[in-house]
Amino acid sequence: MSTVQSPEADPTPIVESDGKMLRQVACFAALAYLMFLFFSHIGTELTSAIGGIACSLVAVLLIYRGWSGLGLNRMRSDIVAAGIFIFILGSLTALGRFMESPWSAFFGLVGLEIFLLAVTAGWKEVRKAPPTALFGVGIIFIYIMASCLASIIAPYGEASVVGQTYMPWGSELKDGGIALLGTDQLGRDTLSRLIYGARNTVGVALATTALTFFVGTFLGLMAASLQGIVDQGLSRVVDVLMAIPQLIFALLILTVIGDGVLNMALVIAMLESTRVFRLARAVALNIVVMDYVEAAKLRGESLLSIIWREVLPNATAPLAAEFGLRFCFVFLFIASLSFLGFGFQPPTADWGSMVRESGNLLNFFTMMPSMGITPLVPAFCIALLTVAVNFVVDWFLHKMSGLKE
Amino acid sequence: MSDKNRGQKGDVLLEMKGLRIEGRADEEWIEIVHGVDVTLRRGEVLGLIGESGAGKSTIGLAAMGYARDGCRISGGEIWFDGKELRSASEDERRALRGRRIAYVAQSAAASFNPAHKLIDQYCESPVQHGVSSRAAAEKDAKDLFRRLQLPNPDTIGFRYPHQVSGGQLQRAMTAMAMSCRPDLIIFDEPTTALDVTTQIEVLAAIRDIVEQFNTAAIYITHDLAVVAQMADTIKVLRYGNTVEEGDTRAMLSAPKEKYTSDLLAVRTYKRDERPRPEAEQPLLQVRGVDASYGPVPVLHNVSIDIYKKRTVAVVGESGSGKSTTARVITGLLPPKNGDVTYAGQTLPPDYRQRSKDQLRKLQMIYQMPDTALNPKSRIRDVIGRPANFYLGYSGKQLTERVRELLRLVELEPDQYMNRLTTELSGGQKQRICIARALAADPELIICDEVTSALDQLVAEEILKLLQRMQDELDLSYMFITHDLATVRAIADEVVVMQSGRVVESGPKEEMFTPPHHDYTDLLLSSVPEMDPDWLDRLLEERAELAKQGRVLKAADN
Amino acid sequence: MSKILATIAQRLGLGLVTLFVVTLIIAGMIEALPGDFCQAILGQSATESTVQACRRENGFDQPFVTRYVTWLGNTATLDLGTSLSNKRDVGEFITVRLENTLFLAAFAAIVAVPLALTLGILAALYRYSWYDRFVNVFTLTSISFPEFLVGYIMILLLSVMTSTLEGGSWFPALATVRPETSFADRVHLVFLPAMTLTLVVVAHMMRMTRAAIINLLASPYIEMARLKGIKNSRIIVKHALPNALAPIVNVVAINLAYLIVGVVVVEVVFTYPGLGKSLVDAVKFRDIPVVQASCMIFALTYILLNLTADVLSIVSNPRLLHPR
């Protein structure tokens, strides 16, 4: 070897982990458990049950493959397996509820597995993470589980009236149950609505962000790679869209096309995708001037091949961070709109409108503090998730900037 | 500017003992300088030399008691004129900086504040340190500007940094460092960013001014030939350790360590001469090409012939149009007039209209191996892609081909196949780039400054490798470079370019024997040699020529 | 100097074009209504003849270009039509609302801008200190809070919790100002919404200021100044600030623009009779003339602020100020 040094040590060889047996058992148990849940519905909801069975099969297979591909050591592999067993065993304590909502159980289990795999695989990074980031990761996990398992853990239905209006915290209800956070203006259980609100608000925000991201990234990368007229045209359109404040623009469009969750999501996706477009374009512009892109061009590669092989892999890190940030903005945007009374229609539970509907309770604080802070609870749920995502993104950005040096 | 208790020449001015410096990488502190001793006497110039990563700039800054963000001085003592800087208070250190120890940065363009005029920045140190009044400082500035041979010394100070050329800014920065008549100046690669022809003037100016004021200096550079002109003693550094230290002349004539002699020998590599083949058709012919970026014309009637199995070196300074010529040949910049023919056939001007085979035969290797390789790709994909794309290799066959190519560029396949490109050193990356070009099974390779981003020893290995490939695979090279040592090493023919025109061209032997075109002469004579007397001799020769009415001087001086 | 003027002229031209497109969008929104304007406001039960009469009255028998020009002319002369919900003259009604909003925004800006710039610069100067870490966590938390949460917390802490049995409290929870309210009373009434806005904006502005300054302090000429032995305070004032002007102006403009939007939610929380509240009400009732007028004002302010920032950063660029 003639050159002087190799700065990096040899890549650590992937040792075939010896926790193979347990891994197989865990995956098999998960599959059997899901099959059982879905099969019990086959008489009543045939299509849903068959769909569920198919999804379970695919999901377990993918998880198993990913799991073995990660090359975790024995201990970490065991932790993931343990998580799965605990979930299944835990569900036995309230099997009835789990059997009622097999889809919730399915998403909950898959969410848990992915989370555990991600944390154990990236343990080296996670261990060095600052407390704020760990806090963020934990909170995000709790929210994901709450959203997935909403119909299982919520004591009452999303829209069912269970007692009198505005009952204080901890009141006893007609059916003998207890409304931990009281009831709302129609006599629905606030805690249940809060849990369903997680599913609705977070779910819609996530879907909207995904749409935003897809549109923005696709157009941004295209603009940067093609340049010329396409770039000019798209950039001018985006300039104009960004020249009007987003909230104002959204209200303007909602006046025209009418209210509703879908309209709201589409409008927000359109407006927010302008920001993603800008970022994706800027990132890609820095990449397309690199010599390796020129080399690919001179080799005669097609445009799509260049975007896919050369540009996209180098844009993923900043785009991933942007996804987190964009989620926060979209989430707050949705919360603001629904607080103002747009978007979600009753009786759908969502945090923004819950705040608006219970806002007046604030004045009862001096008489009954718990009742007074009721409107703050959903608002706080919104804030907590945004804080958590922001902390994680901040950590990620810090790591990224550190890598550059 | 009265010298209070300035010591005698020969007294120890600066002494660093067991200096250790750490740098932060990924939340951990890693030692980058491992206990270096430096002793500097008054009026003496010390050359710190080493390749990238040797820690020379860091040591230079440490002489001021300063560590950059993300670095810290973790051990040792720094004695400056009887004061220990590490234990001194920040205020005490600050009082020394600019006043008694000054600094000249590598990039003057970035180190001057864009918001202020040069003269204001000049006067800041003397006025703030209470050395002289503003009026006196201004007068002094004009005087120094004159001594440093800046044009219009009375008015140049009233310009903003972006209104002044690079070579002039570097001299203005030297003047600024001199403003308080410090005891010590740290020169941190002051000429690295400049063209060779501009470098001469700056080197001469720095040397004169340091001599005139009997200032001690630490001169940091990676170029042994440059430091040979400037320094009384030289200290060779490598990976944060001292390799060798000694008197300049002694070290140049009899280096003790192998590393030093390697560094010394770096510009002496020369390939065997080869006879020029009898008149045959050129493989590639650039005929009367004019080209422009938008409305700005950059190439004027450029013609170059490249023959099979020959190396044509295209030489010129930045802005001479040599890289643009490569862009015309590859089809990235279609020419306004003229054309490019390959084996007798005219190539389409735009690369998008060229056939796969035409693209394949003409490959390119870039200056910066860092930006020429996708940081997210694995070596096997980088090299495998052209082999698969052009020649249809796949599966086992492709893997075997990649291994073969890796062995060809002297990298162990098993060790490197699955690595990311970012896990390699600069020289290894450039080898991968060569392998990638070879994977296409080309006939002609354009090498755009392929060695200038590399350390000298590594660069030489790359040149030898390219040479071997040429012999084994019957390749033709177009070698774009600003470095005449490279030309001397591997060229068969030389083309000299200036401001978008070919000023001279011919076989190498002819090019290196006078008489020349003025510009070729300027370029040739400006390359520093490993001889401490070279600069003096050159300046004498030029003065002599000037008397005869031939002025050899870079355009922007 | 001509280069700088040309650049400014170019920016202004671009701003004008944007403004033109924005008016097109706002005027065009009526065209995009499902059914048409008259159908929308009169409802399904309206007879054909009333709808026809309405169309004639509002000039819907004219082509779009004619109507656009008329609308633009009217808007420019503040003849904004009649509100559909309360039949009042929109121009008059909006003017009062606009004054209220401007009062609130100005109040918040006067507190927020100096505060945020000072705290942001301090955080940049004492980077990695405990102060900086605290600021980082605090601002990150604060920008994650929806405006209404901040508003409610304010009400809870400074109004409800300080209220006495006699019904008095430090600050009123509802900012119901009337045209005849005196200045001193206004300040008292608007205090809570203004503080809410301030808190939200300060966090954003501090983070951006800090980032801009840190970026600047990393430049080689700042290191050079340090190596020249210049005092820290002088480095900040003489070397960093002249170059920081452009980024800081940008930060201020972006955040003022943000403030304009943040006003909408805050006004609803405190039922403050401003432009934002009236826009939200108008959108609910599909009161199109009011929506158009309010959107126009918001968009105009936003565009003007951004334009100002652009021009200021051009003017403070030494390369453009002193061409070669």
Side-chain angles (χ1 to χ4, degrees):
Chain A
M1 216 60 27
S2 47
T3 36
V4 204
Q5 89 275 42
S6 75
E8 300 283 317
D10 291 358
T12 39
I14 295 168
V15 180
E16 190 52 47
S17 57
D18 41 1
K20 198 173 166 193
M21 175 77 177
L22 194 65
R23 197 160 70 213
Q24 283 169 344
V25 172
C27 280
F28 183 75
L31 186 63
Y33 167 72
L34 291 172
M35 291 290 143
F36 166 68
L37 292 184
F38 281 112
F39 266 117
S40 58
H41 283 259
I42 218 150
T44 46
E45 298 171 66
L46 186 63
T47 39
S48 161
I50 290 178
I53 289 165
C55 286
S56 311
L57 267 170
V58 173
V60 171
L61 212 69
L62 286 179
I63 297 267
Y64 181 73
R65 283 211 58 171
W67 193 350
S68 14
L70 285 174
L72 298 178
N73 65 20
R74 172 110 200 204
M75 193 186 69
R76 289 180 201 163
S77 206
D78 289 354
I79 290 173
V80 181
I84 295 173
F85 290 132
I86 289 172
F87 183 90
I88 297 175
L89 290 176
S91 78
L92 295 179
T93 57
L95 192 62
R97 299 193 76 111
F98 277 83
M99 279 176 71
E100 264 169 45
S101 326
W103 279 103
S104 286
F106 169 69
F107 283 118
L109 185 53
V110 170
L112 177 75
E113 284 171 359
I114 292 176
F115 174 80
L116 285 175
L117 285 174
V119 168
T120 46
W123 181 242
K124 236 163 114 188
E125 301 298 330
V126 174
R127 209 179 41 186
K128 276 194 279 178
T132 48
L134 290 180
F135 167 80
V137 171
I139 294 292
I140 292 172
F141 174 66
I142 292 173
Y143 273 67
I144 290 176
M145 292 316 274
S147 312
C148 290
L149 300 175
S151 49
I152 292 169
I153 52 177
Y156 296 97
E158 185 175 7
S160 45
V161 177
V162 293
Q164 283 150 352
T165 59
Y166 291 133
M167 288 165 82
W169 288 23
S171 309
E172 197 170 315
L173 298 171
K174 285 186 291 202
D175 66 350
I178 285 176
L180 275 178
L181 296 181
T183 59
D184 68 359
Q185 78 280 10
L186 294 177
R188 298 171 295 195
D189 178 39
T190 307
L191 178 63
S192 302
R193 282 182 70 72
L194 207 58
I195 294 170
Y196 276 103
R199 174 179 282 185
N200 298 329
T201 316
V202 177
V204 169
L206 207 56
T208 310
T209 315
L211 181 63
T212 303
F213 222 70
F214 180 73
V215 174
T217 311
F218 179 73
L219 293 180
L221 293 183
M222 281 310 256
S225 308
L226 282 172
Q227 306 195 327
I229 308 172
V230 183
D231 186 26
Q232 287 293 318
L234 283 172
S235 297
R236 287 297 85 74
V237 170
V238 164
D239 282 350
V240 170
L241 285 180
M242 286 176 78
I244 308 180
Q246 288 187 314
L247 186 62
I248 307 300
F249 209 153
L251 289 175
L252 184 73
I253 300 178
L254 286 180
T255 319
V256 176
I257 63 172
D259 203 0
V261 177
L262 184 64
N263 282 351
M264 178 182 71
L266 289 178
V267 168
I268 293 179
M270 179 185 91
L271 294 176
E272 290 282 344
S273 62
T274 56
R275 321 270 147 148
V276 181
F277 171 87
R278 281 249 174 126
L279 181 95
R281 178 174 172 274
V283 169
L285 274 183
N286 282 334
I287 298 173
V288 294
V289 295
M290 290 290 177
D291 289 337
Y292 55 82
V293 176
E294 189 181 300
K297 278 188 200 161
L298 286 180
R299 196 184 305 142
E301 302 269 8
S302 68
L303 177 73
L304 281 180
S305 157
I306 289 175
I307 292 184
W308 183 250
R309 293 168 145 266
E310 317 288 343
V311 180
L312 206 53
N314 291 291
T316 39
L319 286 178
E322 175 69 6
F323 188 89
L325 284 183
R326 217 26 68 193
F327 173 80
C328 290
F329 280 107
V330 168
F331 186 60
L332 287 179
F333 201 161
I334 289 178
S336 291
L337 276 179
S338 67
F339 172 77
L340 295 176
F342 304 100
F344 293 95
Q345 306 296 322
T348 312
D350 93 275
W351 292 339
S353 42
M354 283 175 74
V355 177
R356 177 174 39 100
E357 284 158 4
S358 59
N360 290 333
L361 293 180
L362 217 54
N363 294 316
F364 294 94
F365 183 79
T366 36
M367 285 170 265
M368 194 183 281
S370 68
M371 188 129 183
I373 60 165
T374 304
L376 293 186
V377 175
F380 193 71
C381 287
I382 296 171
L384 193 60
L385 180 57
T386 355
V387 172
V389 174
N390 265 324
F391 279 161
V392 175
V393 170
D394 206 46
W395 171 49
F396 188 74
L397 284 175
H398 184 77
K399 279 201 67 66
M400 246 169 54
S401 67
L403 284 179
K404 248 184 244 159
E405 284 162 10
Chain B
M1 228 153 297
S2 66
D3 293 358
K4 294 155 298 223
N5 44 40
R6 285 233 164 151
Q8 295 294 306
K9 185 163 182 164
D11 291 355
V12 170
L13 178 66
L14 173 79
E15 189 163 28
M16 300 200 263
K17 290 184 208 158
L19 181 69
R20 288 175 186 278
I21 300 172
E22 293 179 345
R24 184 152 63 183
D26 204 15
E27 311 283 318
E28 277 173 271
W29 290 100
I30 292 169
E31 194 169 272
I32 48 178
V33 172
H34 319 283
V36 167
D37 300 321
V38 174
T39 311
L40 185 65
R41 295 170 198 285
R42 282 186 186 276
E44 197 180 69
V45 179
L46 168 72
L48 281 186
I49 179 159
E51 298 178 300
S52 55
K56 46 194 193 307
S57 290
T58 323
I59 295 172
L61 286 170
M64 307 180 78
Y66 183 87
R68 288 213 164 103
D69 254 5
C71 285
R72 65 177 187 199
I73 302 172
S74 54
E77 293 167 26
I78 303 164
W79 289 92
F80 177 79
D81 204 16
K83 183 173 268 173
E84 210 285 305
L85 295 188
R86 280 192 69 207
S87 55
S89 74
E90 186 55 37
D91 272 343
E92 284 174 301
R93 282 196 292 258
R94 195 174 51 68
L96 286 177
R97 289 178 194 150
R99 167 82 186 80
R100 301 199 57 197
I101 315 175
Y103 180 76
V104 174
Q106 174 170 1
S107 166
S111 297
F112 271 115
N113 191 329
H116 300 296
K117 291 175 187 158
L118 294 179
I119 193 98
D120 293 336
Q121 304 192 44
Y122 178 94
C123 295
E124 193 171 17
S125 275
V127 173
Q128 289 301 311
H129 287 297
V131 173
S132 67
S133 70
R134 164 83 197 196
E138 237 175 71
K139 193 168 153 288
D140 184 49
K142 290 172 187 167
D143 177 48
L144 272 180
F145 288 161
R146 188 168 291 115
R147 290 197 202 202
L148 285 159
Q149 295 177 1
L150 281 165
N152 313 318
D154 291 332
T155 54
I156 195 167
F158 295 90
R159 297 215 215 152
Y160 285 86
H162 63 272
Q163 299 170 320
V164 177
S165 80
Q168 293 169 7
L169 270 188
Q170 204 69 52
R171 275 179 278 166
M173 175 157 287
T174 307
M176 186 163 86
M178 218 24 123
S179 63
C180 291
R181 302 294 185 272
D183 302 292
L184 169 64
I185 302 185
I186 318 283
F187 292 97
D188 191 355
E189 306 242 16
T191 60
T192 306
L194 305 176
D195 277 325
V196 262
T197 54
T198 320
Q199 172 171 276
I200 299 298
E201 322 288 336
V202 177
L203 285 182
I206 289 178
R207 205 180 57 173
D208 289 350
I209 204 95
V210 168
E211 252 166 43
Q212 279 175 28
F213 293 105
N214 192 24
T215 314
I218 294 180
Y219 195 98
I220 298 164
T221 178
H222 65 277
D223 191 338
L224 198 49
V226 165
V227 88
Q229 314 308 318
M230 311 299 290
D232 304 318
T233 51
I234 294 180
K235 189 179 191 69
V236 182
L237 295 163
R238 195 184 193 193
Y239 307 140
N241 288 311
T242 307
V243 175
E244 182 173 356
E245 184 173 7
D247 176 70
T248 302
R249 281 167 199 277
M251 189 185 286
L252 290 182
S253 52
K256 291 194 202 85
E257 299 291 324
K258 171 155 190 322
Y259 181 68
T260 315
S261 51
D262 283 348
L263 279 180
L264 268 170
V266 86
R267 283 163 190 269
T268 53
Y269 168 68
K270 201 173 161 204
R271 219 255 342 246
D272 306 331
E273 290 300 327
R274 285 181 304 204
R276 191 176 191 180
E278 288 309 304
E280 59 172 78
Q281 186 195 25
L283 183 65
L284 184 106
Q285 228 179 344
V286 180
R287 293 189 301 199
V289 160
D290 294 344
S292 56
Y293 287 124
V296 189
V298 280
L299 291 184
H300 311 276
N301 194 23
V302 169
S303 295
I304 295 171
D305 290 350
I306 301 173
Y307 290 88
K308 199 161 168 50
K309 295 190 227 173
R310 303 282 285 175
T311 301
V312 174
V314 180
V315 199
E317 296 179 283
S318 50
S320 61
K322 48 195 197 310
S323 290
T324 311
T325 310
R327 289 177 71 81
V328 170
I329 296 174
T330 51
L332 283 167
L333 181 73
K336 280 261 159 70
N337 289 308
D339 58 16
V340 180
T341 65
Y342 191 87
Q345 282 181 319
T346 309
L347 286 176
D350 190 326
Y351 73 95
R352 277 167 284 211
Q353 284 140 17
R354 295 188 184 170
S355 72
K356 223 172 171 177
D357 212 41
Q358 283 170 332
L359 290 173
R360 178 182 68 76
K361 286 176 181 164
L362 199 67
Q363 290 294 312
M364 180 136 181
I365 304 172
Y366 294 86
Q367 173 174 8
M368 302 287 211
D370 288 326
T371 62
L373 293 174
N374 186 338
K376 293 286 148 89
S377 291
R378 302 210 171 265
I379 307 290
R380 65 182 316 142
D381 299 323
V382 172
I383 303 177
R385 181 65 186 166
N388 165 269
F389 185 81
Y390 291 125
L391 307 164
Y393 285 98
S394 61
K396 276 228 171 71
Q397 230 183 344
L398 181 64
T399 314
E400 205 29 65
R401 176 70 183 147
V402 172
R403 299 175 74 90
E404 197 181 321
L405 286 163
L406 278 173
R407 275 193 291 267
L408 208 55
V409 295
E410 295 158 11
L411 292 175
E412 182 51 48
D414 294 320
Q415 204 182 344
Y416 291 98
M417 280 275 271
N418 293 317
R419 284 207 195 174
L420 284 174
T421 53
T422 42
E423 294 167 5
L424 304 180
S425 69
Q428 291 169 335
K429 281 182 192 167
Q430 200 59 295
R431 281 167 195 267
I432 298 299
C433 290
I434 295 172
R436 175 173 66 183
L438 294 178
D441 204 359
E443 293 173 356
L444 172 69
I445 300 182
I446 300 176
C447 305
D448 188 356
E449 302 264 14
V450 289
T451 55
S452 55
L454 304 174
D455 284 325
Q456 294 181 353
L457 290 176
V458 181
E460 195 166 295
E461 297 289 336
I462 295 291
L463 287 185
K464 286 179 183 160
L465 174 69
L466 283 170
Q467 196 50 55
R468 194 164 62 77
M469 294 299 109
Q470 182 166 44
D471 295 340
E472 285 176 20
L473 304 169
D474 292 348
L475 297 168
S476 307
Y477 290 138
M478 172 172 159
F479 220 96
I480 296 170
T481 182
H482 67 274
D483 180 16
L484 285 151
T486 309
V487 177
R488 205 170 277 152
I490 68 160
D492 294 304
E493 273 120 279
V494 182
V495 175
V496 182
M497 290 187 73
Q498 186 194 17
S499 327
R501 287 186 174 80
V502 174
V503 274
E504 213 171 346
S505 67
K508 179 170 66 173
E509 315 81 73
E510 261 172 48
M511 296 302 295
F512 281 101
T513 31
H516 305 294
H517 182 275
D518 267 3
Y519 179 71
T520 316
D521 222 7
L522 175 67
L523 207 57
L524 281 176
S525 62
S526 298
V527 181
E529 290 167 20
M530 295 282 179
D531 171 3
D533 302 321
W534 166 79
L535 186 59
D536 294 320
R537 226 173 38 231
L538 176 74
L539 292 173
E540 264 168 43
E541 279 168 20
R542 286 197 181 170
E544 199 60 38
L545 279 174
K547 276 185 208 150
Q548 298 163 17
R550 248 185 107 197
V551 180
L552 291 182
K553 214 167 187 204
D556 74 335
N557 275 280
Chain C
M1 219 50 205
S2 63
K3 195 173 168 193
I4 199 166
L5 286 180
T7 320
I8 291 175
Q10 192 197 349
R11 286 298 151 88
L12 289 179
L14 244 142
L16 272 181
V17 172
T18 317
L19 199 59
F20 170 70
V21 178
V22 169
T23 58
L24 265 187
I25 292 176
I26 292 176
M29 65 173 277
I30 298 185
E31 307 299 310
L33 281 176
D36 73 3
F37 176 71
C38 288
Q39 206 99 60
I41 60 167
L42 294 172
Q44 291 301 315
S45 55
T47 60
E48 187 59 26
S49 61
T50 42
V51 173
Q52 285 298 343
C54 159
R55 283 185 186 149
R56 218 171 306 117
E57 197 184 315
N58 288 289
F60 276 96
D61 39 2
Q62 307 287 321
F64 175 70
V65 179
T66 325
R67 267 182 292 128
Y68 172 70
V69 173
T70 328
W71 177 81
L72 203 59
N74 289 343
T75 307
T77 54
L78 283 182
D79 176 6
L80 299 167
T82 326
S83 160
L84 298 177
S85 52
N86 56 13
K87 304 290 173 228
R88 283 166 64 188
D89 180 64
V90 177
E92 249 173 59
F93 159 77
I94 285 277
T95 320
V96 181
R97 293 299 183 100
L98 177 61
E99 277 168 13
N100 287 344
T101 294
L102 285 182
F103 182 77
L104 173 59
F107 191 169
I110 288 171
V111 182
V113 172
L115 187 70
L117 292 186
T118 320
L119 294 180
I121 292 175
L122 283 179
L125 292 186
Y126 298 100
R127 193 147 59 120
Y128 303 132
S129 66
W130 283 106
Y131 167 70
D132 181 39
R133 273 174 209 189
F134 169 75
V135 158
N136 188 32
V137 171
F138 170 76
T139 54
L140 208 54
T141 314
S142 173
I143 57 173
S144 309
F145 275 36
E147 289 96 344
F148 50 81
L149 176 56
V150 181
Y152 280 141
I153 291 177
M154 283 284 184
I155 294 180
L156 193 65
L157 292 183
L158 295 179
S159 177
V160 176
M161 281 171 76
T162 61
S163 64
T164 52
L165 284 176
E166 295 87 57
S169 68
W170 287 7
F171 297 101
L174 297 183
T176 39
V177 292
R178 278 177 241 291
E180 64 273 13
T181 316
S182 75
F183 183 77
D185 285 346
R186 255 171 212 266
V187 171
H188 185 234
L189 279 169
V190 169
F191 186 80
L192 283 187
M195 283 311 107
T196 307
L197 270 178
T198 304
L199 258 183
V200 174
V201 171
V202 159
H204 274 277
M205 219 193 279
M206 266 174 82
R207 281 182 85 79
M208 290 164 86
T209 312
R210 177 181 176 275
I213 299 289
I214 282 179
N215 200 6
L216 198 81
L217 290 182
S219 42
Y221 56 81
I222 298 292
E223 177 170 79
M224 191 67 217
R226 287 193 203 294
L227 292 175
K228 275 160 78 179
I230 310 297
K231 284 197 196 79
N232 243 331
S233 53
R234 189 179 158 87
I235 291 181
I236 300 301
V237 175
K238 282 294 269 191
H239 290 272
L241 278 189
N243 294 293
L245 204 61
I248 285 182
V249 162
N250 234 325
V251 169
V252 172
I254 291 173
N255 285 285
L256 287 185
Y258 183 83
L259 206 133
I260 296 293
V261 186
V263 140
V264 176
V265 173
V266 172
E267 283 182 358
V268 171
V269 170
F270 291 91
T271 52
Y272 179 74
L275 204 55
K277 175 105 175 49
S278 73
L279 172 63
V280 171
D281 294 341
V283 171
K284 275 185 196 149
F285 294 115
R286 288 202 151 186
D287 190 344
I288 287 157
V290 178
V291 173
Q292 279 181 318
S294 334
C295 285
M296 199 59 215
I297 294 172
F298 276 123
L300 192 68
T301 334
Y302 196 76
I303 292 173
L304 282 180
L305 277 172
N306 282 326
L307 209 58
T308 320
D310 271 359
V311 171
L312 280 179
S313 62
I314 293 171
V315 172
S316 63
N317 182 344
R319 279 163 214 275
L320 284 171
L321 263 184
H322 316 282
R324 262 168 189 270

